[in-house]
Amino acid sequence: MSLRKGTIKEYKFRSEALSEELELLVYLPANFSPLYKYTLVIAQDGRDYFQMGRIGRVTDELLGNEEIENVIIVGIPYKDRFDRRRKYHPDGEQHDAYIRFLAHELVPFLDEEFPTYQMGHGRALIGDSLGGTVSLLTALKYPHTFGKCIMQSPLANEVVMDAVRTFEEPHLLELYHVIGTEETDVPTTDGNRENFIEPNRELHNLLNQKGFTCFYEEFKGNHTWKFWQADLKRALLEMF
């Protein structure tokens, strides 16, 4: 039997928080119907997840085999690496505004546009590297809005650690967290190089101490899509 393929629609969305127009890529499954309810998966690095992560194809397969629940995937592309850093990095000039956009503008739009569950555990954030960082920080700030978070090799600096340390409702979040054992010398958006694995191990230990529900694994590989793409199927199975 041939695999039924979902469709990807493109939207333009005007954000007041960011004072700019953003592009949205929305994957609807092959069996999409307004009569069903759907879990929302909101992807930072949206175009990367569709093109390099092949998240649409992976989801087609999992839905076709009835291995995951019904999902709609919303990808938010970045304009360039500078735009990405401004929005995703904890020190970025638009970081706080981007988080406000996700919680206060994007979610209400998607809840109105599509048949969603309209509750925290019916919404997930996903991202790689800095995209994973901003996903976690957004979920920690709005745990009643986003109940699930997938982090593939996130930057884990002191801002992230402090946000986890001071968070008081770990029962509200379900996390998926992977990091590569070869991520010891990763080039960063500010032109430097950083060890990612040791801070991620510290983050994992802290999440455990705080009592989060969290899947964690260290994969044999480095900070590239070759490994994030290979991990994506398991991430979706674990979370949905």
Side-chain angles (χ1 to χ4, degrees):
M1 190 174 78
S2 63
L3 192 65
R4 296 182 66 201
K5 293 182 179 178
T7 58
I8 298 175
K9 293 185 171 185
E10 295 190 16
Y11 288 77
K12 298 291 185 186
F13 185 89
R14 174 73 192 176
S15 167
E16 297 306 319
L18 293 164
S19 300
E20 66 181 85
E21 186 175 75
L22 288 92
E23 182 184 8
L24 302 178
L25 305 172
V26 179
Y27 164 93
L28 300 176
N31 67 346
F32 177 78
S33 165
L35 301 176
Y36 302 152
K37 292 275 191 188
Y38 293 84
T39 293
L40 283 173
V41 183
I42 298 173
Q44 323 321 318
D45 297 317
R47 194 172 296 285
D48 293 351
Y49 267 96
F50 279 110
Q51 293 183 349
M52 290 184 278
R54 301 197 284 277
I55 195 170
R57 192 182 309 171
V58 174
T59 305
D60 285 338
E61 179 190 334
L62 294 174
L63 286 171
N65 295 333
E66 298 183 354
E67 294 180 89
I68 59 170
E69 63 198 75
N70 283 327
V71 296
I72 290 172
I73 301 167
V74 181
I76 311 166
Y78 54 88
K79 294 179 175 67
D80 53 39
R81 64 190 180 93
F82 305 106
D83 179 61
R84 185 174 184 269
R85 181 179 172 85
R86 279 195 302 271
K87 292 182 170 82
Y88 295 177
H89 196 285
D91 297 334
E93 306 95 300
Q94 290 184 297
H95 178 76
D96 291 339
Y98 183 75
I99 289 177
R100 285 198 307 277
F101 149 72
L102 289 172
H104 293 296
E105 296 181 336
L106 184 60
V107 164
F109 167 73
L110 296 173
D111 282 349
E112 188 174 324
E113 192 78 9
F114 303 105
T116 60
Y117 285 106
Q118 305 198 9
M119 55 193 282
H121 269 276
R123 300 189 195 98
L125 296 163
I126 181 172
D128 65 278
S129 195
L130 281 179
T133 304
V134 73
S135 293
L136 176 61
L137 290 173
T138 302
L140 292 171
K141 187 162 186 178
Y142 296 101
H144 292 280
T145 304
F146 305 102
K148 298 183 179 187
C149 179
I150 297 172
M151 301 174 280
Q152 295 182 298
S153 306
L155 171 80
N157 65 6
E158 203 51 38
V159 174
V160 175
M161 301 300 187
D162 283 344
V164 173
R165 282 190 201 103
T166 57
F167 187 69
E168 296 179 351
E169 300 176 293
H171 62 282
L172 292 176
L173 296 182
E174 185 181 346
L175 306 176
Y176 180 96
H177 178 197
V178 294
I179 184 73
T181 54
E182 296 168 25
E183 297 193 47
T184 55
D185 189 31
V186 176
T188 55
T189 52
D190 58 3
N192 294 318
R193 304 185 77 87
E194 287 188 34
N195 181 326
F196 268 53
I197 181 117
E198 295 305 331
N200 270 273
R201 285 171 176 162
E202 290 176 33
L203 174 60
H204 166 61
N205 290 334
L206 184 57
L207 291 169
N208 263 355
Q209 290 166 21
K210 293 285 291 187
F212 283 87
T213 299
C214 184
F215 175 95
Y216 176 77
E217 186 167 290
E218 297 178 5
F219 59 83
K220 287 188 172 129
N222 57 26
H223 199 79
T224 61
W225 269 105
K226 174 183 175 181
F227 300 101
W228 298 328
Q229 198 285 323
D231 176 68
L232 202 48
K233 183 175 181 179
R234 181 182 63 187
L236 297 176
L237 281 168
E238 283 285 335
M239 296 300 273
F240 310 113

